[in-house]
Amino acid sequence: MNAPVKKKLKVATTSLAGCFGCHMSFLDIDERLFTLLEHIEFDRSPLTDIKEVHPECDIGIIEGGLCNAENVHVLRDFRKNCKILIAIGACAINGGLPAQRNHLPLSAILEEVYHTSPGLSNGLIPNDPELPLPLNQVHPLHEVVKIDYFIPGCPPSGDAIWKVLTDLLAGREPELGHGLMHYD
Amino acid sequence: MSHTFTLDGKTIPFEDGQTIIQAASKAGVFIPHLCYHPEFKPHGSCKLCTVKVNGRQTASCTMRASAGMVVENNTEELNAERRALTQMLFVEGNHFCPSCETSGNCQLQATAYHLGMMSPHYDHFFPSRPVDASHPEVLLDFNRCILCSLCVRASRDVDGKNVFALSGRGIKTHLIVNARSGNLADTNFTLKDKAAQVCPVGVILVKRNGFAVPIGERRYDNVPIGDSLETATEGR
Ligand code: SF4
Ligand code: SF4
Ligand code: FES
């Protein structure tokens, strides 16, 4: 009798208030991507251009924190549809660079960016209803939904990402030893 | 009875008056710590150095060693509590390591790595703490202060200047500069002060000197904290 075909795990990824650096770092696992593809298939991700997360997605990997209402919506959608959620990178884990605005009032930032800074001749603050509203402060993901695993780093190295993913695929608790664990 | 106690089952000799952490580091055993520094009187505030002595928790930087003590240090339980304390320190301040000059040389960060801290776990406070850039040679970035009081002790006990103090209580505790204006420029603080060299994190920063050491060659890039017990050279 033939061995049962092992079902590939569905993996969705997205970047919220991030710079795509973590996704670039993910690609740094290089040819190991082929090994990975023996075990997983990509669902919604910038790598596939699928727009909706499959309702039975196995793993969601999210880069970037929450800077506007749409980010929160996407995060909740990932949480609803993924069995395991992984926060990747400083922004997803502690707000990162975008959160450096958190001690400034949002109105003051918008004023300065669109209105008062030199070179803008009386620019207006965009208010198209299509644009998601910015949050008062930038928040990391775990402050809004439960996050199962974290891969710290700005960005984490390809090796760190590989380590966490292979630990998970092997059913181990992910661990980053010295050298792979870094916050910068 | 001989002058020894056991630490995770290992026999550790001690001299009269030595604390547990002093005897342990002399014997080459690392106990995580942040407010302890071998050159200063203990402050006993961060509680990272908490161990179990005969089954009860106590700070190993303030507890004197005594003969026959049974001390637990490197256990799952204690490290989990140390990790929680470390996570609280991260969320109470603003620790954006990628833009911090101390990253790679930072005792808080290295301790978090040592304890396997994968996330800050708690909600962030995102406090507003303006920096003090008034001094010509030194920048104070209060966002990263963990209130260890090492600069307070160094300035008071070694420099004899009392430039720094901890003010307020509980969660409102914060570091202040002893000047009517509150500015470092209005004190007699200099780069040569001991207080300029003891901060375990990235608060007291020498100006025009940032990011001098490349990534890969910084203090904890190759040797994790606790692997080399250079206790005499702590601080940065
Ligand atoms: S002081 Fe340490 S933990 Fe805080 S931001 Fe700087 S490197 Fe990171
Ligand atoms: S400035 Fe540095 S040395 Fe002083 S209390 Fe804060 S963390 Fe400690
Ligand atoms: S090192 Fe002992 S309480 Fe801080």
Side-chain angles (χ1 to χ4, degrees):
Chain A
M1 225 172 85
N2 291 337
V5 184
K6 231 178 132 201
K7 211 180 124 244
K8 286 189 177 180
L9 296 176
K10 280 192 197 313
V11 177
T13 78
T14 192
S15 176
L16 304 177
C19 69
F20 272 94
C22 295
H23 273 81
M24 297 306 289
S25 216
F26 184 30
L27 297 180
D28 281 343
I29 68 174
D30 295 329
E31 71 276 7
R32 287 171 292 185
L33 203 48
F34 294 111
T35 316
L36 192 62
L37 284 172
E38 291 167 15
H39 304 279
I40 69 147
E41 62 186 357
F42 283 105
D43 187 60
R44 171 183 169 158
S45 165
L47 305 173
T48 59
D49 229 19
I50 297 173
K51 304 291 186 219
E52 301 287 337
V53 189
H54 191 280
E56 271 161 38
C57 189
D58 295 289
I59 300 178
I61 303 177
I62 304 189
E63 162 191 330
L66 306 163
C67 143
N68 62 37
E70 200 240 352
N71 294 154
V72 178
H73 176 80
V74 174
L75 174 65
R76 292 216 163 109
D77 193 47
F78 265 71
R79 181 68 278 181
K80 200 171 91 208
N81 295 311
C82 302
K83 295 192 188 92
I84 290 175
L85 263 201
I86 305 177
I88 186 172
C91 302
I93 292 174
N94 59 34
L97 181 71
Q100 302 310 296
R101 74 158 157 96
N102 281 0
H103 65 280
L104 301 168
L106 181 59
S107 54
I109 300 172
L110 290 172
E111 269 295 307
E112 173 147 359
V113 169
Y114 290 105
H115 196 61
T116 57
S117 68
L120 297 169
S121 55
N122 204 14
L124 294 174
I125 295 171
N127 66 351
D128 190 303
E130 288 268 309
L131 293 173
L133 290 174
L135 305 179
N136 271 347
Q137 288 197 319
V138 177
H139 290 277
L141 308 183
H142 72 271
E143 294 186 11
V144 173
V145 301
K146 179 178 181 348
I147 299 293
D148 302 291
Y149 299 103
F150 300 84
I151 315 180
C154 188
S157 63
D159 288 340
I161 298 170
W162 175 251
K163 176 72 170 54
V164 170
L165 292 181
T166 47
D167 278 352
L168 277 178
L169 289 173
R172 285 187 298 261
E173 187 68 19
E175 216 176 278
L176 295 174
H178 183 78
L180 289 182
M181 170 85 117
H182 60 88
Y183 302 157
D184 55 3
Chain B
M1 220 168 166
S2 71
H3 265 37
T4 63
F5 63 93
T6 65
L7 186 58
D8 293 336
K10 190 178 163 186
T11 304
I12 309 282
F14 69 92
E15 285 155 32
D16 279 331
Q18 263 184 337
T19 56
I20 295 172
I21 204 171
Q22 284 172 333
S25 50
K26 187 122 191 266
V29 179
F30 175 66
I31 301 179
H33 58 271
L34 289 171
C35 70
Y36 166 74
H37 187 295
E39 293 172 41
F40 300 98
K41 276 200 216 122
H43 191 238
S45 58
C46 75
K47 304 297 176 201
L48 254 284
C49 71
T50 298
V51 292
K52 270 195 182 176
V53 176
N54 301 334
R56 298 181 64 162
Q57 293 197 345
T58 186
S60 64
C61 70
T62 52
M63 183 70 158
R64 290 224 159 90
S66 68
M69 275 179 165
V70 178
V71 185
E72 293 165 61
N73 166 41
N74 193 12
T75 66
E76 278 288 301
E77 182 194 341
L78 286 167
N79 284 333
E81 294 194 13
R82 290 167 179 155
R83 190 157 54 240
L85 289 173
T86 309
Q87 288 168 320
M88 290 182 209
L89 289 173
F90 269 84
V91 300
E92 281 169 21
N94 293 306
H95 293 274
F96 179 48
C97 297
S99 81
C100 179
E101 289 176 28
T102 312
S103 195
N105 303 311
C106 169
Q107 227 176 297
L108 175 66
Q109 187 190 59
T111 302
Y113 294 171
H114 172 81
L115 295 168
M117 187 186 113
M118 299 286 264
S119 87
H121 181 79
Y122 301 104
D123 284 7
H124 287 71
F125 287 31
F126 294 123
S128 179
R129 299 191 193 157
V131 303
D132 177 349
S134 64
H135 196 276
E137 294 170 318
V138 170
L139 170 76
L140 298 180
D141 190 335
F142 297 107
N143 289 290
R144 305 166 185 143
C145 182
I146 56 170
L147 308 173
C148 70
S149 97
L150 277 170
C151 59
V152 177
R153 284 175 275 167
S155 186
R156 182 189 62 209
D157 304 340
V158 181
D159 308 326
K161 289 185 179 178
N162 264 320
V163 168
F164 299 102
L166 295 181
S167 174
R169 284 178 186 281
I171 196 62
K172 298 220 166 80
T173 311
H174 60 287
L175 185 71
I176 54 165
V177 170
N178 278 338
R180 196 167 281 274
S181 65
N183 291 334
L184 192 63
D186 297 326
T187 67
N188 54 354
F189 181 83
T190 75
L191 256 192
K192 293 203 184 68
D193 287 8
K194 184 71 179 169
Q197 285 131 42
V198 291
C199 183
V201 294
V203 180
I204 305 176
L205 299 167
V206 181
K207 286 187 177 177
R208 293 172 289 277
N209 188 40
F211 305 103
V213 181
I215 292 178
E217 292 171 29
R218 302 167 306 180
R219 177 160 184 183
Y220 299 114
D221 281 340
N222 299 310
V223 188
I225 198 167
D227 271 26
S228 69
L229 276 176
E230 312 149 273
T231 34
T233 61
E234 261 171 24
R236 285 172 291 116

